[in-house]
Amino acid sequence: MTDIECIDDSLQATVQGSRPYDVRVTLSQGSYVSGQCSCPDDAAPCKHIVAAVLASGDVEAVDDDQSLDTLLEAASAEELRTVLAEFANEDLRLRKHLYEVLGED
């Protein structure tokens, strides 16, 4: 496991196999619900998803008691603009998406 993040009921990890594989998992109360892996294995779930779920027990979830909606509703417009601008400067796909969604027709 090279990277693992657990936020709300979502888990994202990079699992090293014959090469690094991207894993995304949906959890419910810490238990596996569904997952996706970039590996070519047809098993459901594959060993990379299983490894990520097992490792998630050692990872502290971020704000497990507060929903993303609640967090966004509590943020000021200025805080949201600042965060979006920071991410848009780091990720060109996000910047393009913002222009598509928020740009004038």
Side-chain angles (χ1 to χ4, degrees):
M1 204 80 45
T2 56
D3 293 307
I4 186 166
E5 295 287 336
C6 191
I7 301 173
D8 300 325
D9 285 335
S10 298
L11 173 71
Q12 184 171 317
T14 302
V15 179
Q16 184 65 43
S18 55
R19 66 177 188 82
Y21 296 109
D22 297 321
V23 173
R24 293 189 62 106
V25 174
T26 300
L27 304 169
S28 178
Q29 298 178 342
S31 296
Y32 174 80
V33 174
S34 63
Q36 298 174 324
C37 182
S38 62
C39 78
D41 193 345
D42 290 337
C46 70
K47 60 187 176 185
H48 309 106
I49 291 173
V50 172
V53 171
L54 290 174
S56 72
D58 297 329
V59 176
E60 187 173 327
V62 175
D63 261 332
D64 214 7
D65 59 338
Q66 184 179 29
S67 73
L68 181 59
D69 285 339
T70 302
L71 182 69
L72 292 174
E73 287 174 8
S76 71
E78 183 60 32
E79 289 172 319
L80 293 173
R81 277 192 294 274
T82 299
V83 169
L84 277 174
E86 288 174 6
F87 284 127
N89 285 332
E90 296 172 7
D91 186 334
L92 291 179
R93 288 182 302 166
L94 174 60
R95 187 184 308 188
K96 179 182 177 189
H97 185 70
L98 289 172
Y99 277 109
E100 291 170 352
V101 172
L102 302 175
E104 294 188 31
D105 295 322

